[in-house]
Amino acid sequence: MNHIDTDVTAHQIGPLVIMRGTATPSYRVAHPECFGRFTVVALSHAKAIRKCMRRVALMCAANAAREQADREASACE
């Protein structure tokens, strides 16, 4: 299980929620570049949190796919 430290500030401006913050893993993770600063605009706090989690998940999936492609390319050489 990964533990992630976050520092988040959320502002509601009319119907929009603007969430800004940073996420850093507190333990060694496979893709530290998936974490960092983020800004999300959504219609509720829950949607903003889901958007942030989805963004990290998509970045980690993309990095894992690149690493796998690199491993396969080096195995063919």
Side-chain angles (χ1 to χ4, degrees):
M1 179 163 133
N2 292 329
H3 296 276
I4 300 169
D5 294 328
T6 58
D7 181 21
V8 177
T9 303
H11 301 280
Q12 183 141 9
I13 301 173
L16 297 177
V17 175
I18 300 173
M19 184 175 285
R20 300 181 71 178
T22 57
T24 54
S26 54
Y27 294 101
R28 186 170 168 11
V29 295
H31 305 112
E33 61 273 10
C34 297
F35 299 89
R37 296 178 192 263
F38 58 86
T39 301
V40 186
V41 177
L43 293 176
S44 71
H45 290 352
K47 286 183 181 178
I49 291 169
R50 282 194 298 273
K51 276 184 158 181
C52 292
M53 293 173 68
R54 184 166 190 244
R55 179 180 295 166
V56 170
L58 289 173
M59 289 173 61
C60 283
N63 286 325
R66 276 194 295 275
E67 284 181 357
Q68 183 178 358
D70 289 345
R71 280 193 303 272
E72 290 173 359
S74 64
C76 292
E77 293 176 355

